[in-house]
Amino acid sequence: MKTMAGQGADLRDLLMTELNIPRSSKWFEVRFGVDEPVTVRCEFYAEEQPEHEEEPDVPDAPNYGGLNG
């Protein structure tokens, strides 16, 4: 069974959805043991966060007059 096509892909997608496995996963393992809880191991790539433009550091005081004021 191949993981990128057909039934393998369907099973992979189902497990990823139900187990909340990140789409950025490199791989994951699911273990079903008798009388044991289901365990999941996963390695995933960190998702890049967009860079935020830095806002100028402006005081909240309404009558702030700056250094000379």
Side-chain angles (χ1 to χ4, degrees), residues 16-62:
M16 289 182 84
T17 299
E18 293 300 317
L19 299 172
N20 295 318
I21 296 171
R23 296 307 281 172
S24 59
S25 294
K26 183 176 180 182
W27 58 265
F28 68 93
E29 300 172 347
V30 181
R31 182 173 188 267
F32 294 87
V34 176
D35 295 327
E36 295 177 11
V38 174
T39 57
V40 178
R41 289 179 12 132
C42 169
E43 181 178 339
F44 56 93
Y45 299 106
E47 295 181 13
E48 290 186 35
Q49 299 295 321
E51 291 187 27
H52 297 284
E53 292 184 25
E54 290 188 29
E55 296 181 16
D57 194 18
V58 178
D60 293 334

